[in-house]
Amino acid sequence: MKRLILAGVLAVAAAGTALAQSWQEPARGTQTRKDLMSAIRPIAEWRLGAPVQFVVKDLRVAGDVGYGRLYAQRPGGAKIDLNATPISQRMGGAFFEDWEEPYIDVMYKKSGNMWVAVEYTLSASEAWWASPAYCAAFGPVLTEWCH
């Protein structure tokens, strides 16, 4: 009897977890993943200089919304010298002395057949997306922050 009850509790917990995590991570090599990277690349290159390669730390899609945390580097894994980037030069230089490596948090929206980076930050110090407005729009991919 105890095994039956334990099995029931585990099944309910697993169902709750599946509902809470309704997003999927687009696999490497898929068109969706390529489209998401292509949507943010011009923004990253405008700020960090070209070329930029992304190391995906987190990438989520649910329906027509997405979220990503992407670490930026030069092709082949070379570190980006943040003080030599276009954004640093536009801001007078030496602005990023305390940053170790740049990352981008990005919110995506699918528009027709195209993914668009609709909101992003470069190395944010807080979870700006954990607010009622962002949770209302992007809640399915922000399950840890939006309850």
Side-chain angles (χ1 to χ4, degrees), residues 70-110:
L70 314 170
Y71 282 74
Q73 63 185 22
R74 297 291 178 226
K79 188 174 180 173
I80 294 174
D81 177 0
L82 291 167
N83 289 315
T85 60
I87 186 70
S88 180
Q89 300 308 308
R90 287 190 293 268
M91 298 182 85
F95 183 74
F96 300 106
E97 291 174 348
D98 298 328
W99 289 15
E100 291 185 21
E101 59 183 323
Y103 64 88
I104 298 171
D105 289 301
V106 57
M107 299 297 169
Y108 296 101
K109 183 86 171 123
K110 192 165 188 183

XYZ file of all heavy atoms in Angstrom, residues 70-110:
331
model
N 22.803 33.904 -23.260
C 23.854 33.575 -24.217
C 25.145 34.280 -23.827
O 25.151 35.497 -23.643
C 23.438 34.036 -25.613
C 22.008 33.704 -26.046
C 21.654 34.425 -27.326
C 21.842 32.208 -26.180
N 26.216 33.514 -23.690
C 27.528 34.100 -23.424
C 28.192 34.376 -24.764
O 28.172 33.540 -25.662
C 28.372 33.172 -22.559
C 27.952 33.246 -21.110
C 26.774 32.670 -20.671
C 28.728 33.938 -20.195
C 26.376 32.761 -19.351
C 28.340 34.038 -18.864
C 27.163 33.450 -18.460
O 26.761 33.557 -17.147
N 28.769 35.548 -24.884
C 29.375 35.976 -26.148
C 30.880 35.790 -26.096
O 31.522 36.066 -25.077
C 29.031 37.434 -26.421
N 31.420 35.322 -27.214
C 32.858 35.166 -27.373
C 33.192 35.353 -28.842
O 32.295 35.470 -29.678
C 33.312 33.781 -26.899
C 32.707 32.639 -27.702
C 33.066 31.272 -27.150
O 33.414 31.129 -25.989
N 32.983 30.261 -27.996
N 34.458 35.388 -29.134
C 34.892 35.423 -30.524
C 34.914 33.983 -31.048
O 35.030 33.035 -30.258
C 36.275 36.050 -30.650
C 36.334 37.499 -30.208
C 35.574 38.418 -31.153
N 35.627 39.795 -30.664
C 34.590 40.593 -30.596
N 33.403 40.179 -30.988
N 34.712 41.828 -30.163
N 34.782 33.797 -32.354
C 34.831 32.441 -32.905
C 36.077 31.695 -32.428
O 37.163 32.277 -32.333
C 34.853 32.670 -34.414
C 34.100 33.946 -34.585
C 34.522 34.793 -33.396
N 35.879 30.436 -32.098
C 36.982 29.625 -31.593
C 37.153 29.719 -30.091
O 38.032 29.094 -29.517
N 36.356 30.549 -29.428
C 36.405 30.632 -27.972
C 37.220 31.772 -27.401
O 37.372 31.874 -26.186
N 37.757 32.641 -28.258
C 38.548 33.759 -27.747
C 37.675 34.718 -26.943
O 36.540 35.013 -27.324
C 39.224 34.507 -28.899
N 38.226 35.178 -25.824
C 37.514 36.118 -24.959
C 37.401 37.484 -25.641
O 38.320 37.919 -26.342
C 38.261 36.247 -23.638
C 37.537 37.039 -22.595
C 38.272 36.988 -21.264
C 37.493 37.808 -20.251
N 38.047 37.686 -18.916
N 36.288 38.145 -25.419
C 36.071 39.486 -25.966
C 36.679 40.510 -25.019
O 36.380 40.512 -23.818
C 34.564 39.758 -26.165
C 34.006 38.821 -27.239
C 34.319 41.222 -26.534
C 32.502 38.892 -27.420
N 37.535 41.361 -25.536
C 38.081 42.462 -24.751
C 37.008 43.541 -24.689
O 36.809 44.303 -25.640
C 39.357 42.998 -25.407
C 39.940 44.195 -24.665
O 39.366 44.624 -23.643
O 40.974 44.704 -25.135
N 36.315 43.589 -23.582
C 35.161 44.483 -23.466
C 35.528 45.955 -23.602
O 34.741 46.748 -24.098
C 34.436 44.228 -22.149
C 33.738 42.881 -22.092
C 33.319 42.537 -20.680
C 32.538 42.871 -23.022
N 36.707 46.337 -23.191
C 37.091 47.740 -23.297
C 37.451 48.152 -24.719
O 37.607 49.324 -24.997
C 38.227 48.049 -22.327
C 37.711 48.041 -20.899
O 36.666 48.605 -20.613
N 38.426 47.380 -20.024
N 37.558 47.175 -25.624
C 37.834 47.469 -27.030
C 36.585 47.303 -27.893
O 36.678 47.339 -29.117
C 38.945 46.562 -27.541
N 35.440 47.140 -27.284
C 34.196 46.925 -28.027
C 33.585 48.250 -28.468
O 33.844 49.300 -27.865
C 33.165 46.172 -27.171
O 32.891 46.948 -25.995
C 33.656 44.786 -26.798
N 32.748 48.209 -29.496
C 32.063 49.431 -29.930
C 31.247 50.098 -28.818
O 31.266 51.322 -28.703
C 31.165 48.945 -31.061
C 31.882 47.766 -31.628
C 32.511 47.095 -30.433
N 30.564 49.316 -27.986
C 29.752 49.924 -26.919
C 30.649 50.654 -25.923
O 30.321 51.747 -25.467
C 28.830 48.897 -26.215
C 27.890 49.573 -25.219
C 29.601 47.815 -25.526
C 26.821 50.418 -25.811
N 31.795 50.093 -25.609
C 32.720 50.750 -24.697
C 33.259 52.041 -25.308
O 33.332 53.071 -24.628
C 33.875 49.812 -24.351
O 34.772 50.449 -23.466
N 33.603 51.990 -26.576
C 34.122 53.187 -27.249
C 33.066 54.284 -27.316
O 33.369 55.457 -27.116
C 34.632 52.833 -28.647
C 35.762 51.808 -28.643
C 36.905 52.170 -27.715
O 37.438 53.269 -27.777
N 37.275 51.245 -26.837
N 31.814 53.889 -27.562
C 30.738 54.887 -27.617
C 30.475 55.510 -26.253
O 29.977 56.628 -26.159
C 29.454 54.253 -28.165
C 29.502 53.971 -29.661
C 28.154 53.577 -30.226
N 27.656 52.311 -29.749
C 27.855 51.118 -30.342
N 28.592 51.040 -31.438
N 27.348 50.026 -29.841
N 30.826 54.760 -25.183
C 30.578 55.252 -23.826
C 31.832 55.862 -23.208
O 31.864 56.129 -22.012
C 30.034 54.128 -22.954
C 28.710 53.599 -23.468
S 28.042 52.310 -22.419
C 27.210 53.337 -21.206
N 32.877 56.067 -23.992
C 34.072 56.726 -23.496
C 35.169 55.793 -23.024
O 36.152 56.241 -22.450
N 35.007 54.484 -23.213
C 36.056 53.513 -22.873
C 36.121 53.158 -21.403
O 35.561 53.838 -20.551
N 36.804 52.061 -21.126
C 37.061 51.575 -19.760
C 35.792 51.455 -18.911
O 35.840 51.590 -17.701
C 38.084 52.462 -19.070
N 34.694 51.212 -19.535
C 33.420 51.122 -18.824
C 33.204 49.750 -18.197
O 32.521 49.612 -17.201
C 32.287 51.440 -19.808
C 30.920 51.454 -19.198
C 30.513 52.493 -18.384
C 30.034 50.419 -19.440
C 29.255 52.508 -17.829
C 28.764 50.429 -18.893
C 28.382 51.478 -18.085
N 33.797 48.710 -18.776
C 33.498 47.343 -18.386
C 34.630 46.691 -17.594
O 34.847 45.489 -17.695
C 33.199 46.500 -19.642
C 32.039 47.028 -20.420
C 32.237 47.691 -21.620
C 30.751 46.875 -19.959
C 31.157 48.172 -22.353
C 29.672 47.353 -20.672
C 29.875 48.008 -21.875
N 35.344 47.438 -16.797
C 36.497 46.914 -16.076
C 36.158 45.728 -15.178
O 36.969 44.828 -15.009
C 37.140 48.011 -15.239
C 37.808 49.074 -16.075
C 38.316 50.226 -15.235
O 37.960 50.305 -14.049
O 39.069 51.042 -15.787
N 35.001 45.706 -14.566
C 34.658 44.673 -13.603
C 33.952 43.466 -14.209
O 33.693 42.498 -13.507
C 33.777 45.259 -12.493
C 34.498 46.349 -11.719
O 35.730 46.251 -11.587
O 33.837 47.295 -11.269
N 33.636 43.504 -15.477
C 32.924 42.392 -16.103
C 33.902 41.299 -16.483
O 34.972 41.562 -17.015
C 32.209 42.849 -17.355
C 31.017 43.716 -17.101
C 30.681 44.341 -15.947
C 30.016 44.049 -18.045
N 29.533 45.055 -16.119
C 29.100 44.896 -17.395
C 29.806 43.731 -19.371
C 27.983 45.409 -18.033
C 28.692 44.247 -20.003
C 27.796 45.067 -19.333
N 33.526 40.055 -16.229
C 34.389 38.941 -16.593
C 34.134 38.493 -18.025
O 35.053 38.332 -18.793
C 34.180 37.785 -15.628
C 34.708 38.113 -14.248
C 34.610 36.947 -13.307
O 34.515 35.802 -13.781
O 34.612 37.196 -12.103
N 32.893 38.250 -18.364
C 32.550 37.867 -19.733
C 31.147 38.363 -20.040
O 30.286 38.381 -19.179
C 32.671 36.362 -19.956
C 31.793 35.518 -19.063
C 32.007 34.036 -19.292
O 32.220 33.608 -20.433
O 31.940 33.297 -18.312
N 30.932 38.805 -21.252
C 29.619 39.350 -21.579
C 28.595 38.250 -21.831
O 28.891 37.225 -22.436
C 29.876 40.132 -22.871
C 31.042 39.437 -23.492
C 31.870 38.915 -22.352
N 27.416 38.468 -21.314
C 26.300 37.588 -21.639
C 25.082 38.440 -21.943
O 24.990 39.592 -21.521
C 26.023 36.570 -20.528
C 25.592 37.174 -19.218
C 24.246 37.424 -18.953
C 26.517 37.488 -18.233
C 23.848 37.986 -17.760
C 26.128 38.034 -17.036
C 24.787 38.279 -16.796
O 24.387 38.833 -15.610
N 24.193 37.854 -22.690
C 22.988 38.556 -23.109
C 21.784 37.756 -22.630
O 21.700 36.552 -22.859
C 22.943 38.701 -24.645
C 24.127 39.541 -25.119
C 21.618 39.302 -25.092
C 24.296 39.565 -26.621
N 20.885 38.435 -21.946
C 19.573 37.876 -21.649
C 18.634 38.461 -22.682
O 18.589 39.683 -22.859
C 19.111 38.263 -20.243
C 19.893 37.549 -19.164
O 19.879 36.302 -19.161
O 20.508 38.224 -18.320
N 17.895 37.606 -23.355
C 17.071 38.075 -24.468
C 15.682 37.434 -24.418
O 15.544 36.258 -24.095
C 17.767 37.802 -25.830
C 18.085 36.337 -26.005
C 16.967 38.323 -26.997
N 14.684 38.247 -24.703
C 13.309 37.780 -24.866
C 12.993 37.797 -26.355
O 13.284 38.781 -27.048
C 12.318 38.700 -24.154
C 12.524 38.798 -22.683
S 12.269 37.219 -21.907
C 12.880 37.588 -20.301
N 12.430 36.717 -26.818
C 12.090 36.571 -28.235
C 10.581 36.489 -28.407
O 9.876 35.959 -27.565
C 12.657 35.264 -28.790
C 14.147 35.141 -28.818
C 14.812 34.417 -27.839
C 14.893 35.699 -29.849
C 16.194 34.256 -27.886
C 16.266 35.539 -29.899
C 16.907 34.811 -28.917
O 18.268 34.652 -28.962
N 10.132 36.973 -29.554
C 8.732 36.827 -29.966
C 8.746 36.385 -31.417
O 9.504 36.913 -32.226
C 8.013 38.168 -29.818
C 6.557 38.150 -30.146
C 5.744 37.733 -28.946
C 4.272 37.924 -29.230
N 3.490 36.739 -29.091
N 7.913 35.420 -31.726
C 7.821 34.970 -33.109
C 6.802 35.842 -33.831
O 5.681 36.036 -33.376
C 7.414 33.498 -33.190
C 7.600 32.926 -34.575
C 7.561 31.427 -34.570
C 7.955 30.926 -35.948
N 7.872 29.476 -36.018
